[in-house]
Amino acid sequence: QMHLVESGGALVQPGGSLRLSCAGSGSIFSIYDMAWYRQAPGKQRELVAIITRSYTTTYVDSVKGRFTISRNNAKNTLYLQMNSLKPEDTAVYYCRNQNGWRGSWGQGTQVTVSS
């Protein structure tokens, strides 16, 4: 099973930027579609973005044009570049390898957008 560790979350002002990272180990990183999810307090976990093994990307409408998902398979790392951040982006962000029930979750990293 893949082990995933997220990092890069922080407190940032509206309009600011952050880059989240997700380091993978324990499996062959390059063969998996990878995803970022987020969960705000009192809300369900939401799929934010997916990048496939062939580098195709998909985004939830609320982040299109602002967020960019990418991956570096040589480093076993997934990224989420977040620009023009809004207070409603505040959440714990998680990464996942999209492998059905066998997919893993990281511990999450907190992103807080506030003035």
Side-chain angles (χ1 to χ4, degrees):
Q1 190 174 28
M2 185 173 288
H3 179 62
L4 300 167
V5 179
E6 301 93 339
S7 63
L11 172 65
V12 63
Q13 293 186 341
S17 297
L18 285 173
R19 189 175 78 156
L20 307 183
S21 297
C22 171
S25 63
S27 191
I28 304 173
F29 189 85
S30 62
I31 70 173
Y32 296 105
D33 295 350
M34 300 294 296
W36 284 100
Y37 293 75
R38 65 186 180 187
Q39 187 166 26
K43 297 183 179 179
Q44 291 189 316
R45 192 166 296 185
E46 173 189 33
L47 177 63
V48 177
I50 297 171
I51 183 166
T52 70
R53 60 194 295 177
S54 60
Y55 300 94
T56 299
T57 59
T58 307
Y59 302 90
V60 67
D61 286 345
S62 60
V63 309
K64 287 180 179 177
R66 300 189 298 119
F67 290 11
T68 303
I69 188 171
S70 62
R71 65 195 296 165
N72 186 329
N73 290 337
K75 296 182 177 181
N76 286 355
T77 303
L78 176 73
Y79 303 97
L80 185 67
Q81 178 66 47
M82 304 185 295
N83 299 324
S84 301
L85 283 162
K86 304 175 180 180
E88 49 263 46
D89 295 319
T90 295
V92 177
Y93 284 71
Y94 301 88
C95 62
R96 188 178 190 271
N97 58 317
Q98 300 288 70
N99 192 28
W101 68 270
R102 294 182 180 271
S104 298
W105 294 100
Q107 84 291 339
T109 187
Q110 177 71 53
V111 172
T112 302
V113 185
S114 177
S115 60

